[in-house]
Each structure stands twice: as C-alpha cells, then as structure tokens.
Amino acid sequence: MSYCKQEGKDRIIFVTKEDHEAPSNAELIADDPNDPYEDQGLILPSGEINWNCPCLGGMASGPCGTQFKEAFSCFHHSSEEVKGSECVDNFRAMQECMQKYPELYPQEDENQGAASGGSDAPTEDSAPTPTSDLTPTPESAPSSDNTPPTDIQAHS
Amino acid sequence: MWTCKTTWKKLAPLARTCSTLCRQNARRTVLNSDRRLPMVTQAHMSSGTPGSGGDNNLYYLLVGATCIAGGFYAYRTIKGDQERYNERMNEIASRANKVAEQAETYLPEEPRGDEAVETPEETSPEVTAEEPEGPPVELEAEIEEAPVADLALEEVVEMPCAPTQSEPSPVAESPPAETAEPQTTTVTESAADPATDEPTNVPPPAPVEFPSHAPYLLIGGGTASFAAARSIRARDPGARVLIITDEPDLPYMRPPLSKELWFSDDPGVVDTLRFKQWNGKERSIYFQPPSFYVSPQDLEKVENGGVAVLTGKKVVHMDVRGNKVTLSDNTEISYDKCLIATGGVPRNLQVIERAGEEVTKRTTLFRKVEDFKALNKVSRDTKSITIIGGGFLGSELACALGRRSADSDLEVIQMFPEKGNMGKVLPEYLSNWTTAKVRSEGVRVITEALVKGVSFKDGKVEIKLKDGRVVKTDHIVAAVGLEPSVELAKSAGLEVDSDFGGYRVNAELQARSNIWVAGDAACFYDIRLGRRRVEHHDHAVVSGRLAGENMTGANKPYWHQSMFWSDLGPDVGYEAIGIVDSSLPTVGVFAKATAKDTPKAATEKSGTGIRSESETEGTASSTATSSTPAPPPEPQQKDDYGKGVIFYLRDKVVVGIVLWNVFNRMPIARKIIKDGEEHADLNEVAKLFNIHED
C-alpha cells in the first residue's frame, strides 16, 4: 500500500495505517533520570522543589514569590497526618500578598490553589506564563503535588 | 547584501592604496605650500630618475598629473569639511546645558581649527593603514576629529562620539551614520585633558530615577530577557533584576504580532493587544501586566527583590573590567552579572534604502508592536501591499493580510527569490504545496523574483524585478531577515561570530565571566548540533531560562532542544525542531490528512490556547490522549501532503524534524534528535509518531 519516491535528494514515503501498525523497531537510547543536563520536573532528584519548573508558572518568581515558596516548601516537607496543617500561617501570608495584586492573581483562582500546577490556572490569568514556559516538562512532572494545596486553601 | 560586503572587502586594499597615494601626495603638497593648498607644481623628483630624457618627461607628466589630481581632491575635501566642521561646532555650541564647558574645551581647539583640518591628514594615513576598509566617507569623518592621542579612557562613550572622538580606530570602524550624531562633550573634555580629569568632567548623571547598581542586569527587554528574569527570581530568592530596554513597552511576545493579532475580531485590538486564542481564551501579548514589575527606583529597597524594567533607554557602552554599563543619557549602572539579550533589527534591502524618502516612508520593517500598529493601519488605508521575503515572517504576514483582503479590496502580493514559500526551510515538494496554500489565502505570490530597483512614480511604488517584470503597489513590507544587534561588542571586547552573526558564546551561553548572551543575538555552541544561532521564540525562552539558571550558578549547557512552529492559515501548520534547512537531504513520511488534523483542531482537542502551550504545565495530554483511531486512509493516488513527518539528515544522522500537521508529538522528536543516532530505516522511526492517529 505504501509507496516511495525520490525527488532529487528528498525521499518521500506514503504510508497507510496498516503499514504503521507493527511496532517500531527503531532503537532509542534509554534516558538517565539523573542526567544533570536535562530539565527536571517539579521535584529534583535530591528531593528539593524545582522552583524553575515551568509547571509552576510564575508563582515562584512574582511579587509573592517568597511567600509562595515558603508555603509550598512547608507543605512539601510536612509529615503531619493532615499534610500541611502546620503551614496555615504561611498560606495565609501568601493569600494576603496575592490579594494585593488582583491583576496577577485573579481572586476567583484562589480556590483553585495557589500552586498554578494545574494546567488551567495559568491560562486563566491574564498574565500567564505558558508562552514563556514553552519547554515541556517530562511526563513524569506530577500535577498531583499541586492539587493538595487546594484542600488546604479550602480549609483555611 | 553579503556580496556587496565581500566585494567591498576585496576592493578595500585597492581603495586603501589609492587613498594612501592621494593622501601622501596631498600631504607633501600641504607641507610644501605652508598651510593653504595652491595648485601643485612638479617639484618632487629633484634627484632625477634613471632612464632616458623621454622617459623622464613622461614620468614627470604622470607624477605631476597625479599630484594635481590628489591636491585638488584634498583641497576640495578639506574645504567641504571645514564647513561641516564649523556647522558641527555651532550645533554643539548651541546646546544649552553644555555651553560653558564647551567654551573651555573648544578654545584650545579653535586656534588649531585651521591646523586641525590639516593635521588629521597626518593621522589619517596611519588610520587608513590600520583600517582595511577606507571608504572616503570615513576619511572625512576622521578629518573632523581632534587628533588627541589618549586612547585609554574608560569613561569615553565611544560609539556615539564619532566627530570629536579621540580614538580614530573605533570611529573608522563605526558606520558613517555615527558621524551624523553630534554627541556630548564629555569626550572632548576627556580628550583635551587626557587621563586625569575624566570623572570630574563627566556631567552629573540625571537625577536618580534608577538604581546605580543592579545585581542582575539584563540588557534588552524581549522574550529571552524575561525568561531569564523569571529563572533568576525562581532560583535566587529575593533577587533584584533590572531589565533595560530601548523599546517603550514592557516585555511581550512577538509571534502573535504576525499571527493571532491579525485574526482578532476586536476592532480595538491595536490598543489592547489582546487576542482570542482558538479555544476562546484571551490573553495579552505582554508576559505580565505592569503590576508584576517593581519600579526601578524601588528595586534596591523592596524587601523581597523583584524585576524592574527601564524602558526607552539604550545601553551604549559596556565596561567589562569595571562591571558597568553606560546608557545613552550618560548614566552608569554597575552590575554583578549581566545578560545581553539585545535581539536584532530587521534587515532592509539596499535598493529600498537607496530609493529615496518617498519609498522608505512607504516601507515597513516588521518587528515591534509599533510596526504592527502601523501596518494594521496601512492595511486599511491602502489598496495594495507587497511583501518582499518568503520566509516565516513574510509568509505569515502574507497569509494574515490575505485573509483580510477577503473582506476588502486590498491586494496582497508576496515576492521572493526562492521557488516557493519557505523555500529555505521545507523541501521543494512541500514548499510548492505551501505556496499553493498561500495563494489560496488570496495572496498573489511571485516566485523567483529578484528585486533590482524600487522607485516612486505617479503615486505608486514601482518594484522592478531582474527579469523585467514590474510590480506597482502602495506599500512594501520587507521581511528579509534579521541583523543581530552587536553594538556592544566593541566596547565590551566581546567576540562576534563571522559565520552566523551575533555574539559568540560557549555551550553555557557565557561570553565572559559575568556576561551571558541569550536569544536572537547569541551564537552558541549546541553540543548536539554544533555552533548555531537561532531566531525563534521558543529558543529565546529556552536560552533565556538557561542563561538565568547559569547566572545563578547552574553551569548547565544548552541541551534541551528548542522547537518552532508556523501556521499558514487554518489548514496548514507545522512544528519543527533542530536544523531544518532545505539544502539537507530529507526523508518524508506522509499519511493523508483528515479534517481532524489542522492546527485549529489540535488546540480544541488539547484544550489549551496557544498550540505551544500544550507542551507545558504538565498537561498530560501530550501522548496520553485517547482518541478514536482515524479510519484507514485510502491508498494515495495523488500526492497529498496532508500530514506527516519529515526528517532532515546530516551525515545520516537526523538533525532536524518537521511535524507536518501532526501535533503534540514534540517530545518524541526531541528525543530522536537528542540521541543523534544513525537509523537505518526512517520509516521505523516515523512509526514512533503514530501519524495516523490524532
């Protein structure tokens, strides 16, 4: 079904779906998860948070970046039964800061969680960072880490 | 344009010898005649030459004629320059806040005014000897200089201070345009009082509106700079980042200027600069609203640091040893770490530059927000627009304007020297297919068009092509490339790459210990693909981020390969990565496109706004989306390049990949390039992309 032709130095192959059904035998080199050159996900191999992760959007670098980092770090390292329950003050400080910049942190997003990890939040902002964060995160980048703060927000 | 340069370089030695000859003759004449230049007599060869009388006479005649010509030329030049010199003096003298200082400075020089015009002649032979390029214009510039020897002034604002510059060599190198800019007298003062008095003679800096020191200084306020600022702020808590840009706008993204903004339904889009993405979500081209930034004067004091933007200021001088920069208004700002992200300026065609004001005021060089606003207005006011250039920008603008022409009687023409749109990027068969698509958007595409001359006649701009065709139009958009801005290279002592242009940096984007370069202006070493310079948006983001990381101590090389994309109307879109050069051998694997395989469908499917967004923010939609398999396509009877993958090979290794109407597969493409392996059968590699599925 598929056919092939050559136009000068360019080769063109047309393939049908059946042609591509068999799994590929092309070999790819296995990735080293600890490769220092690669862009890391949200959590670095050392266990620390990667504040430069595109998944965080501009949260760690904006005017409320310090408060966000404190709150999120506290939550991340929390080993309480209700994770992050001792971080209420940090989150409150962050929320207060964010209320000062309604343009950057639209109020309706407060309930979605401070961490903009969810793919929706940044696009909701009028000043989202997605375009400046064109580098893709590896599929392992968990968005799950970002949802728990939502629960905390609801509590506080 | 390149050929002009090479030709000139070849002619330069010839020009140099000619001018040297003229100079020497003139000088001899001048010295002999004690100040003013009368016509020269043949008094040179008193020592007689060997040879017969007839030969001697001929010899005398020849030398005499040369001397007369040289003397006459020099006389004319100096006369002309004397006038220009005086004019320049008057202009500088008339500047209000520098009058007193000038009076002092120029006094010592004025009595020498007469001499000054002659003595530069002495310096000029040396200079012309130094400089391989010695066109007459530069010669005139040198003659205007005060020939003071002090060269080691760190405070000197070199570039703009051409006329009164004490350093002949930088002036000779700087384009003639510099001589037209009269500058401050700080240089003359320092020139007059070598070495000792510079600090006191520098006029006091403007009243403190901005910090005098910035731990992180980013020169340029575009995408790369903003990405670096974000990266720095994320990694260095409390970092204070100062961005200096000569544009009046805060950092914004450029791709919508030639794409989404044109498709907006909002008549006020020119003011709001907001655009609706295909999924209905709106956003601004500005990365962040003004409230994100700290004001420059608060930068040093604000508790947790921040990012401040200084707009409308240009950095004109960089002192690498002293770790400081000088702005166009003479303010100095010192830094700890500096990023140069100056981008570039659009190139223009020489025939347009030389065509006169009537043509140049009807020509747009498209890059910034103001260019978008101007072109938007033009598209509503004129009847015919011609785009010269068949690359990304030219083709996207042609499609955007072509779409607009559907509702009005605007004629859109696009012309370029290649055989098809994107002729330097896509293989010929795909380039032809693309050209057909552009034509279907309502654009009159003229291929293999070399512009020979442009003129303004009978109210129309007339473009004459090499093959004789003439195109009459109202407005021209020149999209013929980008010239990287490397003006700081001279003062900073940074290397400029001769192959690709731009500042030469290593794999970690570093030029010097505390200086990094990112974005369009960086010619960097890519470990996988070799030295290159990339002018795409995602590269600006990736390199800006990397530079920011390295400025905060990461020491990582350029490793994550950036991608780029283009949409030509709603039906044709592609994403690409790596070296995508049509001169490389390619292998294309295609399937027939269904209605689902268009850029519009891709964004609707992944639920994100800009297609590029779908790669970010951990949206797991990339490869994991379940989709109903497309019905098996019929066997291809005619060549329809609906969707597929094209591999670009260099020495049998895949160095570039184009995903043609196939979206959300970029990670796989990136992996293949990163591996850098030789694959025996590229069809097998193509299977990894599942091109038949959505």
Side-chain angles (χ1 to χ4, degrees), chain B residues 501-532:
Chain B
Y503 296 96
R504 204 178 263 182
V505 294
N506 63 15
E508 296 176 14
L509 303 185
Q510 200 179 31
R512 291 279 295 267
S513 329
N514 291 329
I515 305 177
W516 288 261
V517 187
D520 291 352
C523 175
F524 66 100
Y525 183 70
D526 184 326
I527 297 177
R528 263 286 165 256
L529 301 176
R531 183 159 284 276
R532 50 203 287 245

Side-chain angles (χ1 to χ4, degrees), chain B residues 216-372:
Chain B
Y216 296 97
L217 183 69
L218 312 185
I219 304 177
T223 310
S225 196
F226 183 79
R230 164 159 289 161
S231 200
I232 293 169
R233 287 278 301 157
R235 290 173 49 90
D236 180 359
R240 295 168 206 282
V241 181
L242 179 65
I243 296 177
I244 303 182
T245 173
D246 61 359
E247 286 192 55
D249 298 299
L250 294 173
Y252 61 89
M253 57 179 88
R254 287 188 210 285
L257 293 180
S258 62
K259 294 188 264 294
E260 286 91 340
L261 285 181
W262 291 94
F263 303 132
S264 169
D265 301 318
D266 176 15
V269 68
V270 173
D271 300 309
T272 63
L273 297 173
R274 293 182 71 83
F275 54 99
K276 210 167 250 165
Q277 300 150 132
W278 273 322
N279 60 0
K281 287 187 188 155
E282 230 191 48
R283 67 155 296 167
S284 165
I285 63 170
Y286 292 98
F287 290 115
Q288 296 284 6
S291 52
F292 174 87
Y293 304 99
V294 163
S295 84
Q297 53 256 48
D298 294 336
L299 184 63
E300 285 177 321
K301 292 170 269 168
V302 68
E303 193 192 332
N304 291 322
V307 181
V309 182
L310 212 50
T311 55
K313 299 274 179 225
K314 194 171 163 87
V315 175
V316 294
H317 182 272
M318 193 161 174
D319 174 5
V320 170
R321 271 205 248 194
N323 285 335
K324 54 185 185 241
V325 299
T326 313
L327 306 186
S328 46
D329 60 359
N330 260 340
T331 333
E332 280 189 359
I333 301 180
S334 59
Y335 59 83
D336 293 333
K337 303 208 188 265
C338 181
L339 173 75
I340 300 178
T342 44
V345 289
R347 288 208 181 114
N348 198 353
L349 292 174
Q350 283 208 343
V351 289
I352 295 180
E353 281 175 341
R354 291 197 221 121
E357 206 203 315
E358 287 297 320
V359 171
T360 47
K361 74 179 186 199
R362 289 175 174 79
T363 303
T364 300
L365 298 171
F366 196 88
R367 175 109 172 136
K368 308 183 195 169
V369 169
E370 61 200 42
D371 302 322
F372 162 73

